[in-house]
Amino acid sequence: MRVERLCLEAFGPFIQRQEIDFSRLEGRSPFLIQGPTGAGKTTILDAICFALYGASSGGEREARNLRCDFAPDHAATEVCLEWSLGQRRFRVLRRPERLRPKIRGAGFTRQPAEATLWRLDDGPAKVLASGWAPVGEACQELLGFSQEQFRQVVILPQGQFRRLLMADSREREAVLATLFQTGFYQRLTEALKERARGAAEQIRQLLQAGQNILAQAEAENADALAARIDALAEDLRQNQDARERLRQAEQAARQALNQAQAQAAALDELAQAQSAAADLAAQAPAMDQLRLALARAQSAAALEDVAQNSGQAVDHAQKSADALALRQGLEAKAGQALQKASEALEAERAREAERQSARERLEGLAALEKTVAGLEQAAADLARLQQEAQAAQQAQTAAEDDLAARQAQAQQAAAALERARALAGQLDGLKSLAQQTARQRQDALALAELAAQGPGQTRAADWAGQQARDAQDALAQAQARRDELLRLWRDGQAAALAAGLAPGAPCPVCGSTNHPAPAEGEPNAPDQKALEAAEQTVERARQALADRERQAERAARDLVELRRRQEELRLALGPLAEESPEELARRANEANERLAQADRAGQSLPALQAAQVAAQGALAQAQAALLAAQASFQDLARQTAAQRALHAERAQNTPEQLRPPGALAQASRQARDQLTRLESALERARTTHDLASRDLAAAQAARAAAQEAAQEAAARAALAQAELARRLALAGFAKEAQMTAARMEEKTMAEGQRALQDFAAAQAAAAGRLARAQAAAASLSRPDLPALELAANQAAQALERAIDAGGQLAQRLRQARAWQDELGRLTSQVATLEQDHGVIGRVAEAAGGQNAMGVTLQRFVLATLLDEVLEAASRRLGRMSRGRYALRRAVDRQDRRKAAGLDLMVDDDHHGSQRPVSTLSGGESFLASLALALALAEVVQAHAGGVRLETIFIDEGFGSLDAEALDLAMAALIDLRDGGRAVGVISHVEEMKERIDARLEIIPSRRGSVARLAL
C-alpha cells in the first residue's frame, strides 16, 4: 500500500485547503514530517486514518471532533486520499457531520456525514462504495487490515509503536495472517474438522439406520433375523404342499357342479317352451279382432272424399254466419261512435264563454307592455351604476395598493443602501461561496444524467424480473406435465403386467395366484420417448429460468448501482439536490456579481440616497391619487341609491308576477296558447262528427251483403250432408262417427298385417321348440344345486385362504431378506467410515491445535514466516545495537492456558541469555520495534500474495536513542530507499532534521497551519 496524495480542508489546525503530493517523495526515503508542537504533524497521520477508516490514527478522537475550530461556518471539513495497491489506484473522500448555515433564512442546519470510495482506472472513476460505514468496510477489505492492525503495521502513532513487538501470540497471529494472507490454512483446518464431524455423523446415522431396521424387523440382532428367515422359508414350503391338495379338491367340486347345472338347464328349457306355447294360444282371440278391424278400416277409407266435401260445406256455412255477426257488431259500434261525436260537438259549442275570456286576457296583457318596458329600463340603469361604483371601488383599491408599493420602494431603497454597506465586508465569504456552488453545479449535472437513466433502468429491471417469473411458471408447468406423463407411464406398466396375468398363475410382483383387481392402464399411456422429450423440455425450461434469473440479477445490480450513485450525489448536494444545474450556475454568477458590487458599494451611496428621496416623492403622489379615487367612489354610491328608489317606484305600478324580465312576454304566450287550444278543440269535434256519420252508412251496407252470403252457404251445406248419409248406409255405417272410429292410418294397417303374419310364424316355432325340449328332458330329475354350489364355494375359499397365506409368507420372507441385505450393506459402510474417520479425526485435531505444542496449522505456517521476519529484523537490530541483540521466536510453551507459537524473545549477547522482549528498555524496545516493522515490510513484500507495505509512518520515539544508536537507526532507514519503500518520520530530534533533506514542513499561522514539501 502506497500513499500517493492527501488533500484536507478545515481539518485539525488546517483551515485552508492543503494538497500534499507524496508521489514527489519517490526515491527520497526516509522523509521527515517536521514542525512546532501543535502545528499539526500528527494530524497528517490522523487524516490518512480518517480517510480510510473514519477515525484518528491514535483512535482517541471522534470524527466530529476533528473539524477545525477556526474554519468559517460555510467551509466543509473534508479529507481526500489517493493511494495505490500494486497497479490499482483508489481515491477516498470523507466529510464528517457538521452544522452549516441555512441556504434560505437565518440559522443553521445539520449536514450529514458523507464518504465515497472510487477506483481510478484509465477511464472515468468508478464508485466502489458510498456511505460512512460501507467505505470503511471496503477499504478494510482492499487493504486486508482492520483499523487496529493498520495502526500496528503502517501508521505507528505516539505511544503505540511497540504494540506489535509486545503483542501476545493471538494478537500477533491476527496481524500476520492478514499481512501474509494465510487464511487458506485456517480454512483447511476448518474443512478437516468439518469432514471429521461429517464422518462421525455419517457413522452415527448408519448405526441408527441399522437399529431402525432391527426395530422394524422386531429382532434383537442379525442372528435372530437370520433364524426368522429360515423359519419363514419352512412355513412357505408347507403352505405350497397344502395348496396343491386344496386345488385338486376344488377342481372335483367344480366339475360336479357343472354337470348338475346342465341338467337343471334342460328342465328349465322344457318349462319355458310349454309356457311360450300357452302364451300364443291366449293371443289367438285378439288376432281375430285385429283381422275384423282391418276390414272395416278399408271400407272407411273408400268414403274419405265424400266426408271431406260435406265437412268443407259445413265449415263454409259457419264462417259466413260468423262474418254476418261481425258486420252486425261493427254497425252497432258505428252508431255508438256517432252518438258520442254528437255529444262532444255540443260540449265544445257550450265553451264559447271560455274562448271569449281568453281573448279579453290577451288584450289586457297587451295594454301593460309600456309600463313593463319602463320598469326594465330603470333596472338596466341601476345595474350600470352599480358596475360603475364597483369599478370606482376597484380603482380605490388599486390606489391603496400603489401607495403600499411606493412605501415598499422607499423601504427597498433604504435596504439597498444598507446591503451596499454590508457587501464590502463579505469578500472572503463570497469567494468560498463561488467555489462551493461550482462544485454543487457539477454534482447536479451528474445527478440529472442519472435521473434520466433511471426510468430505463427501472423498466429493464422490471422486464427482467417478469421474464424470470414467466420462466419459473414455464418450468413449473413443464415439471407438472413431466410428472403427469411419468404417472401415466407407471400406470401403463402396471396395466402391461396385469395383461400378462393368467388365472391360477402367480403374480410376478406379489406371488399371489388370485387376481381380484388387475390394474387398468390409460388408453393414451406415453412411451419412453415421450418421457425423454418431457424431461428435455423440463431441462430447457430450467436452463431458461437460470438465464432469466441471471439477467434479472444483473439488471437489479445495475439499478441498485444507479440508485446508490444518485443517493451519493443527493447526500453531497443536500437540500440543493432539488435545484437544477442552471439554478446553481445562477447562484455562482450571483456571488461573483455581489463581489463586484461590494467593490463599488462605497461609490454608490450618493446615488442610493437620491433614489430614496425620489421614492418619497412618488409616495406623496400615490397618497393624492388615493384621495381622488375615494371621492369618485362616494359620488357613484349616491347616484346608485337614487336610481334604486326610482326602480322601486315603477315596480309598485306593475303587477308583481309581471315584474321579472320576460314575465309579460311569457304571460302573453300562455294566453294566446289557451285561446288556440279552445278553438282547435271545437274544430276537432266538428270533424269527428262528420267522420262518424260516414262510418255508420258504410257499416250498414257491409252488414246487408254479409247476410245474403250466409243464407246461400247454409243451403249448400244441407245438400252435402244428405249425400254423406246415403253413402254411409250403403257401407254399413249407421253414423259418420262409426266411420271415423273405423279409420286407420296406412302405417297402422300395414303393421296390423305384419302382426298377423308374425303370429302365425311364432305358433309354428313354438311347436318345434316344445317338441325338442320334451325329447331332451326325458328321464331327467332336478338336482340339488344349492348343496353342490356350497361345496364348490367352500373348496374355492379354502384354496384362496391358502394362497393368501402363502403370499403373506412370501412377502414376509422377501422383506426379512431385504432387511438382512440392507443391514449387511450398512455394516460394511460403517467399517469403511470408521477407518477413514480414524485418520481424518487425528489430522483435524492436530491442525486445530490439539497437539503437544498447542499450535494450530495456520499458526505453524505463520511461525515459519515469523522466523523469516525475525531473521531479517535481527540483522537490522544487530547493526543498530552493535551486535548485542537478536530477536527469536519462543519455542517452549510458557502458559498452556494461552495460545502459543508466536511469542517473541530477545537474545542478549552481553549476558549470553534469552529473555522476554518486555524486559528491554525504552530506547532498546524502540530499536527492536523499528527493526521488526522494517523487516515485516520487507518479508511481506517478498512473498507472493502478501500485502505490499510500500509506505510506513513513525510518530516519535527517536528521542530515546543516544547519538550512536540514532546513527545506526538512520542507516537502517536509508537502506530502505533501495527497496522502493517510503518511511515518514515525525521527530523533534535536531540531528534528524540535519540528516534528512526531504521534509514535509508544517507551518503554523493565525490563518491556520500550512503543509509544504521541501525537497
Side-chain angles (χ1 to χ4, degrees), residues 236-259:
L236 182 60
R237 186 190 61 77
Q238 295 177 2
N239 176 267
Q240 290 173 346
D241 295 342
R243 277 187 291 172
E244 183 59 30
R245 293 192 300 271
L246 291 172
R247 186 177 289 108
Q248 294 175 358
E250 192 270 342
Q251 290 176 351
R254 184 64 59 186
Q255 184 176 5
L257 177 61
N258 292 338
Q259 292 176 355

PDB file of all heavy atoms in Angstrom, residues 236-259:
ATOM      1  N   LEU A 236     -43.327 -71.542   4.298  1.00  0.00           N
ATOM      2  CA  LEU A 236     -43.738 -71.328   2.912  1.00  0.00           C
ATOM      3  C   LEU A 236     -43.764 -72.649   2.151  1.00  0.00           C
ATOM      4  O   LEU A 236     -44.667 -72.901   1.335  1.00  0.00           O
ATOM      5  CB  LEU A 236     -42.800 -70.323   2.227  1.00  0.00           C
ATOM      6  CG  LEU A 236     -43.140 -69.978   0.776  1.00  0.00           C
ATOM      7  CD1 LEU A 236     -44.537 -69.361   0.687  1.00  0.00           C
ATOM      8  CD2 LEU A 236     -42.102 -69.010   0.211  1.00  0.00           C
ATOM      9  N   ARG A 237     -42.794 -73.555   2.392  1.00  0.00           N
ATOM     10  CA  ARG A 237     -42.764 -74.857   1.706  1.00  0.00           C
ATOM     11  C   ARG A 237     -43.984 -75.684   2.102  1.00  0.00           C
ATOM     12  O   ARG A 237     -44.654 -76.293   1.237  1.00  0.00           O
ATOM     13  CB  ARG A 237     -41.482 -75.617   2.078  1.00  0.00           C
ATOM     14  CG  ARG A 237     -41.291 -76.926   1.295  1.00  0.00           C
ATOM     15  CD  ARG A 237     -40.149 -77.721   1.877  1.00  0.00           C
ATOM     16  NE  ARG A 237     -40.399 -78.084   3.269  1.00  0.00           N
ATOM     17  CZ  ARG A 237     -41.228 -79.070   3.631  1.00  0.00           C
ATOM     18  NH1 ARG A 237     -41.891 -79.771   2.721  1.00  0.00           N
ATOM     19  NH2 ARG A 237     -41.411 -79.351   4.903  1.00  0.00           N
ATOM     20  N   GLN A 238     -44.345 -75.701   3.383  1.00  0.00           N
ATOM     21  CA  GLN A 238     -45.515 -76.443   3.843  1.00  0.00           C
ATOM     22  C   GLN A 238     -46.796 -75.854   3.240  1.00  0.00           C
ATOM     23  O   GLN A 238     -47.716 -76.589   2.870  1.00  0.00           O
ATOM     24  CB  GLN A 238     -45.591 -76.409   5.368  1.00  0.00           C
ATOM     25  CG  GLN A 238     -44.434 -77.142   6.045  1.00  0.00           C
ATOM     26  CD  GLN A 238     -44.496 -77.038   7.555  1.00  0.00           C
ATOM     27  OE1 GLN A 238     -45.426 -76.437   8.099  1.00  0.00           O
ATOM     28  NE2 GLN A 238     -43.508 -77.625   8.243  1.00  0.00           N
ATOM     29  N   ASN A 239     -46.874 -74.552   3.115  1.00  0.00           N
ATOM     30  CA  ASN A 239     -48.042 -73.915   2.508  1.00  0.00           C
ATOM     31  C   ASN A 239     -48.210 -74.325   1.050  1.00  0.00           C
ATOM     32  O   ASN A 239     -49.327 -74.525   0.576  1.00  0.00           O
ATOM     33  CB  ASN A 239     -47.908 -72.400   2.628  1.00  0.00           C
ATOM     34  CG  ASN A 239     -49.033 -71.658   1.940  1.00  0.00           C
ATOM     35  OD1 ASN A 239     -48.882 -71.303   0.783  1.00  0.00           O
ATOM     36  ND2 ASN A 239     -50.141 -71.446   2.653  1.00  0.00           N
ATOM     37  N   GLN A 240     -47.130 -74.485   0.320  1.00  0.00           N
ATOM     38  CA  GLN A 240     -47.197 -74.882  -1.088  1.00  0.00           C
ATOM     39  C   GLN A 240     -47.781 -76.299  -1.228  1.00  0.00           C
ATOM     40  O   GLN A 240     -48.588 -76.564  -2.129  1.00  0.00           O
ATOM     41  CB  GLN A 240     -45.812 -74.806  -1.722  1.00  0.00           C
ATOM     42  CG  GLN A 240     -45.300 -73.370  -1.899  1.00  0.00           C
ATOM     43  CD  GLN A 240     -43.869 -73.319  -2.373  1.00  0.00           C
ATOM     44  OE1 GLN A 240     -43.157 -74.337  -2.322  1.00  0.00           O
ATOM     45  NE2 GLN A 240     -43.435 -72.141  -2.806  1.00  0.00           N
ATOM     46  N   ASP A 241     -47.407 -77.239  -0.345  1.00  0.00           N
ATOM     47  CA  ASP A 241     -47.964 -78.604  -0.373  1.00  0.00           C
ATOM     48  C   ASP A 241     -49.465 -78.574  -0.099  1.00  0.00           C
ATOM     49  O   ASP A 241     -50.261 -79.252  -0.780  1.00  0.00           O
ATOM     50  CB  ASP A 241     -47.244 -79.477   0.670  1.00  0.00           C
ATOM     51  CG  ASP A 241     -45.772 -79.675   0.325  1.00  0.00           C
ATOM     52  OD1 ASP A 241     -45.398 -79.439  -0.856  1.00  0.00           O
ATOM     53  OD2 ASP A 241     -44.984 -80.023   1.226  1.00  0.00           O
ATOM     54  N   ALA A 242     -49.889 -77.785   0.884  1.00  0.00           N
ATOM     55  CA  ALA A 242     -51.301 -77.710   1.224  1.00  0.00           C
ATOM     56  C   ALA A 242     -52.104 -77.112   0.076  1.00  0.00           C
ATOM     57  O   ALA A 242     -53.222 -77.541  -0.221  1.00  0.00           O
ATOM     58  CB  ALA A 242     -51.482 -76.876   2.499  1.00  0.00           C
ATOM     59  N   ARG A 243     -51.551 -76.139  -0.607  1.00  0.00           N
ATOM     60  CA  ARG A 243     -52.253 -75.508  -1.728  1.00  0.00           C
ATOM     61  C   ARG A 243     -52.496 -76.508  -2.857  1.00  0.00           C
ATOM     62  O   ARG A 243     -53.548 -76.478  -3.509  1.00  0.00           O
ATOM     63  CB  ARG A 243     -51.449 -74.311  -2.248  1.00  0.00           C
ATOM     64  CG  ARG A 243     -51.682 -73.027  -1.458  1.00  0.00           C
ATOM     65  CD  ARG A 243     -51.012 -71.856  -2.114  1.00  0.00           C
ATOM     66  NE  ARG A 243     -49.558 -71.977  -2.003  1.00  0.00           N
ATOM     67  CZ  ARG A 243     -48.690 -71.173  -2.624  1.00  0.00           C
ATOM     68  NH1 ARG A 243     -49.134 -70.221  -3.399  1.00  0.00           N
ATOM     69  NH2 ARG A 243     -47.387 -71.329  -2.462  1.00  0.00           N
ATOM     70  N   GLU A 244     -51.570 -77.421  -3.111  1.00  0.00           N
ATOM     71  CA  GLU A 244     -51.746 -78.413  -4.185  1.00  0.00           C
ATOM     72  C   GLU A 244     -52.899 -79.362  -3.860  1.00  0.00           C
ATOM     73  O   GLU A 244     -53.726 -79.680  -4.731  1.00  0.00           O
ATOM     74  CB  GLU A 244     -50.441 -79.191  -4.382  1.00  0.00           C
ATOM     75  CG  GLU A 244     -50.482 -80.193  -5.516  1.00  0.00           C
ATOM     76  CD  GLU A 244     -50.783 -79.545  -6.860  1.00  0.00           C
ATOM     77  OE1 GLU A 244     -50.399 -78.352  -7.052  1.00  0.00           O
ATOM     78  OE2 GLU A 244     -51.399 -80.198  -7.719  1.00  0.00           O
ATOM     79  N   ARG A 245     -52.986 -79.800  -2.606  1.00  0.00           N
ATOM     80  CA  ARG A 245     -54.095 -80.683  -2.214  1.00  0.00           C
ATOM     81  C   ARG A 245     -55.434 -79.958  -2.330  1.00  0.00           C
ATOM     82  O   ARG A 245     -56.413 -80.511  -2.842  1.00  0.00           O
ATOM     83  CB  ARG A 245     -53.874 -81.173  -0.769  1.00  0.00           C
ATOM     84  CG  ARG A 245     -52.675 -82.109  -0.612  1.00  0.00           C
ATOM     85  CD  ARG A 245     -52.692 -82.775   0.767  1.00  0.00           C
ATOM     86  NE  ARG A 245     -52.630 -81.785   1.847  1.00  0.00           N
ATOM     87  CZ  ARG A 245     -51.495 -81.324   2.361  1.00  0.00           C
ATOM     88  NH1 ARG A 245     -50.327 -81.745   1.878  1.00  0.00           N
ATOM     89  NH2 ARG A 245     -51.528 -80.456   3.351  1.00  0.00           N
ATOM     90  N   LEU A 246     -55.506 -78.751  -1.875  1.00  0.00           N
ATOM     91  CA  LEU A 246     -56.760 -77.996  -1.934  1.00  0.00           C
ATOM     92  C   LEU A 246     -57.161 -77.685  -3.369  1.00  0.00           C
ATOM     93  O   LEU A 246     -58.357 -77.615  -3.697  1.00  0.00           O
ATOM     94  CB  LEU A 246     -56.625 -76.687  -1.146  1.00  0.00           C
ATOM     95  CG  LEU A 246     -56.517 -76.851   0.375  1.00  0.00           C
ATOM     96  CD1 LEU A 246     -56.180 -75.522   1.036  1.00  0.00           C
ATOM     97  CD2 LEU A 246     -57.827 -77.407   0.952  1.00  0.00           C
ATOM     98  N   ARG A 247     -56.203 -77.510  -4.268  1.00  0.00           N
ATOM     99  CA  ARG A 247     -56.519 -77.210  -5.668  1.00  0.00           C
ATOM    100  C   ARG A 247     -57.206 -78.417  -6.318  1.00  0.00           C
ATOM    101  O   ARG A 247     -58.162 -78.277  -7.091  1.00  0.00           O
ATOM    102  CB  ARG A 247     -55.249 -76.827  -6.418  1.00  0.00           C
ATOM    103  CG  ARG A 247     -55.522 -76.362  -7.862  1.00  0.00           C
ATOM    104  CD  ARG A 247     -54.249 -75.914  -8.559  1.00  0.00           C
ATOM    105  NE  ARG A 247     -53.786 -74.658  -7.984  1.00  0.00           N
ATOM    106  CZ  ARG A 247     -52.734 -74.535  -7.205  1.00  0.00           C
ATOM    107  NH1 ARG A 247     -52.014 -75.606  -6.906  1.00  0.00           N
ATOM    108  NH2 ARG A 247     -52.379 -73.377  -6.716  1.00  0.00           N
ATOM    109  N   GLN A 248     -56.742 -79.654  -6.052  1.00  0.00           N
ATOM    110  CA  GLN A 248     -57.362 -80.859  -6.623  1.00  0.00           C
ATOM    111  C   GLN A 248     -58.784 -81.033  -6.103  1.00  0.00           C
ATOM    112  O   GLN A 248     -59.712 -81.354  -6.879  1.00  0.00           O
ATOM    113  CB  GLN A 248     -56.509 -82.083  -6.266  1.00  0.00           C
ATOM    114  CG  GLN A 248     -55.127 -82.070  -6.921  1.00  0.00           C
ATOM    115  CD  GLN A 248     -54.250 -83.223  -6.461  1.00  0.00           C
ATOM    116  OE1 GLN A 248     -54.665 -84.037  -5.606  1.00  0.00           O
ATOM    117  NE2 GLN A 248     -53.027 -83.305  -7.011  1.00  0.00           N
ATOM    118  N   ALA A 249     -59.013 -80.768  -4.814  1.00  0.00           N
ATOM    119  CA  ALA A 249     -60.358 -80.884  -4.256  1.00  0.00           C
ATOM    120  C   ALA A 249     -61.298 -79.848  -4.862  1.00  0.00           C
ATOM    121  O   ALA A 249     -62.473 -80.126  -5.156  1.00  0.00           O
ATOM    122  CB  ALA A 249     -60.306 -80.727  -2.731  1.00  0.00           C
ATOM    123  N   GLU A 250     -60.824 -78.650  -5.097  1.00  0.00           N
ATOM    124  CA  GLU A 250     -61.652 -77.592  -5.666  1.00  0.00           C
ATOM    125  C   GLU A 250     -62.041 -77.923  -7.093  1.00  0.00           C
ATOM    126  O   GLU A 250     -63.179 -77.682  -7.517  1.00  0.00           O
ATOM    127  CB  GLU A 250     -60.880 -76.270  -5.617  1.00  0.00           C
ATOM    128  CG  GLU A 250     -61.730 -75.031  -5.914  1.00  0.00           C
ATOM    129  CD  GLU A 250     -61.739 -74.707  -7.389  1.00  0.00           C
ATOM    130  OE1 GLU A 250     -60.834 -75.206  -8.109  1.00  0.00           O
ATOM    131  OE2 GLU A 250     -62.641 -73.966  -7.840  1.00  0.00           O
ATOM    132  N   GLN A 251     -61.145 -78.566  -7.886  1.00  0.00           N
ATOM    133  CA  GLN A 251     -61.463 -78.926  -9.270  1.00  0.00           C
ATOM    134  C   GLN A 251     -62.557 -80.000  -9.315  1.00  0.00           C
ATOM    135  O   GLN A 251     -63.470 -79.957 -10.149  1.00  0.00           O
ATOM    136  CB  GLN A 251     -60.193 -79.414  -9.979  1.00  0.00           C
ATOM    137  CG  GLN A 251     -59.175 -78.310 -10.241  1.00  0.00           C
ATOM    138  CD  GLN A 251     -57.900 -78.840 -10.852  1.00  0.00           C
ATOM    139  OE1 GLN A 251     -57.692 -80.084 -10.928  1.00  0.00           O
ATOM    140  NE2 GLN A 251     -57.009 -77.937 -11.277  1.00  0.00           N
ATOM    141  N   ALA A 252     -62.532 -81.007  -8.420  1.00  0.00           N
ATOM    142  CA  ALA A 252     -63.554 -82.068  -8.392  1.00  0.00           C
ATOM    143  C   ALA A 252     -64.926 -81.481  -8.049  1.00  0.00           C
ATOM    144  O   ALA A 252     -65.946 -81.820  -8.670  1.00  0.00           O
ATOM    145  CB  ALA A 252     -63.163 -83.137  -7.384  1.00  0.00           C
ATOM    146  N   ALA A 253     -64.994 -80.593  -7.039  1.00  0.00           N
ATOM    147  CA  ALA A 253     -66.263 -79.981  -6.654  1.00  0.00           C
ATOM    148  C   ALA A 253     -66.820 -79.126  -7.778  1.00  0.00           C
ATOM    149  O   ALA A 253     -68.031 -79.086  -8.037  1.00  0.00           O
ATOM    150  CB  ALA A 253     -66.074 -79.158  -5.386  1.00  0.00           C
ATOM    151  N   ARG A 254     -65.966 -78.456  -8.494  1.00  0.00           N
ATOM    152  CA  ARG A 254     -66.402 -77.588  -9.584  1.00  0.00           C
ATOM    153  C   ARG A 254     -66.953 -78.408 -10.739  1.00  0.00           C
ATOM    154  O   ARG A 254     -67.961 -78.040 -11.367  1.00  0.00           O
ATOM    155  CB  ARG A 254     -65.219 -76.722 -10.052  1.00  0.00           C
ATOM    156  CG  ARG A 254     -65.566 -75.715 -11.125  1.00  0.00           C
ATOM    157  CD  ARG A 254     -66.550 -74.680 -10.614  1.00  0.00           C
ATOM    158  NE  ARG A 254     -66.010 -73.962  -9.475  1.00  0.00           N
ATOM    159  CZ  ARG A 254     -66.707 -73.076  -8.768  1.00  0.00           C
ATOM    160  NH1 ARG A 254     -67.989 -72.859  -9.078  1.00  0.00           N
ATOM    161  NH2 ARG A 254     -66.144 -72.456  -7.752  1.00  0.00           N
ATOM    162  N   GLN A 255     -66.377 -79.626 -11.025  1.00  0.00           N
ATOM    163  CA  GLN A 255     -66.857 -80.478 -12.126  1.00  0.00           C
ATOM    164  C   GLN A 255     -68.251 -81.026 -11.811  1.00  0.00           C
ATOM    165  O   GLN A 255     -69.140 -81.061 -12.675  1.00  0.00           O
ATOM    166  CB  GLN A 255     -65.859 -81.626 -12.354  1.00  0.00           C
ATOM    167  CG  GLN A 255     -66.210 -82.508 -13.539  1.00  0.00           C
ATOM    168  CD  GLN A 255     -65.152 -83.567 -13.789  1.00  0.00           C
ATOM    169  OE1 GLN A 255     -64.203 -83.703 -13.029  1.00  0.00           O
ATOM    170  NE2 GLN A 255     -65.327 -84.370 -14.840  1.00  0.00           N
ATOM    171  N   ALA A 256     -68.502 -81.453 -10.583  1.00  0.00           N
ATOM    172  CA  ALA A 256     -69.819 -81.964 -10.191  1.00  0.00           C
ATOM    173  C   ALA A 256     -70.872 -80.862 -10.308  1.00  0.00           C
ATOM    174  O   ALA A 256     -72.009 -81.099 -10.750  1.00  0.00           O
ATOM    175  CB  ALA A 256     -69.756 -82.495  -8.763  1.00  0.00           C
ATOM    176  N   LEU A 257     -70.523 -79.665  -9.929  1.00  0.00           N
ATOM    177  CA  LEU A 257     -71.458 -78.555 -10.015  1.00  0.00           C
ATOM    178  C   LEU A 257     -71.809 -78.259 -11.470  1.00  0.00           C
ATOM    179  O   LEU A 257     -72.976 -77.989 -11.799  1.00  0.00           O
ATOM    180  CB  LEU A 257     -70.854 -77.310  -9.348  1.00  0.00           C
ATOM    181  CG  LEU A 257     -71.698 -76.034  -9.427  1.00  0.00           C
ATOM    182  CD1 LEU A 257     -73.049 -76.224  -8.737  1.00  0.00           C
ATOM    183  CD2 LEU A 257     -70.946 -74.854  -8.791  1.00  0.00           C
ATOM    184  N   ASN A 258     -70.855 -78.327 -12.382  1.00  0.00           N
ATOM    185  CA  ASN A 258     -71.130 -78.043 -13.799  1.00  0.00           C
ATOM    186  C   ASN A 258     -72.114 -79.061 -14.392  1.00  0.00           C
ATOM    187  O   ASN A 258     -73.015 -78.706 -15.164  1.00  0.00           O
ATOM    188  CB  ASN A 258     -69.825 -78.045 -14.601  1.00  0.00           C
ATOM    189  CG  ASN A 258     -68.926 -76.858 -14.231  1.00  0.00           C
ATOM    190  OD1 ASN A 258     -69.422 -75.857 -13.712  1.00  0.00           O
ATOM    191  ND2 ASN A 258     -67.641 -76.990 -14.462  1.00  0.00           N
ATOM    192  N   GLN A 259     -71.978 -80.346 -14.064  1.00  0.00           N
ATOM    193  CA  GLN A 259     -72.889 -81.375 -14.579  1.00  0.00           C
ATOM    194  C   GLN A 259     -74.319 -81.135 -14.065  1.00  0.00           C
ATOM    195  O   GLN A 259     -75.307 -81.246 -14.822  1.00  0.00           O
ATOM    196  CB  GLN A 259     -72.406 -82.762 -14.155  1.00  0.00           C
ATOM    197  CG  GLN A 259     -71.095 -83.181 -14.835  1.00  0.00           C
ATOM    198  CD  GLN A 259     -70.571 -84.515 -14.320  1.00  0.00           C
ATOM    199  OE1 GLN A 259     -71.143 -85.084 -13.376  1.00  0.00           O
ATOM    200  NE2 GLN A 259     -69.489 -85.015 -14.927  1.00  0.00           N
TER     201      GLN A 259
END
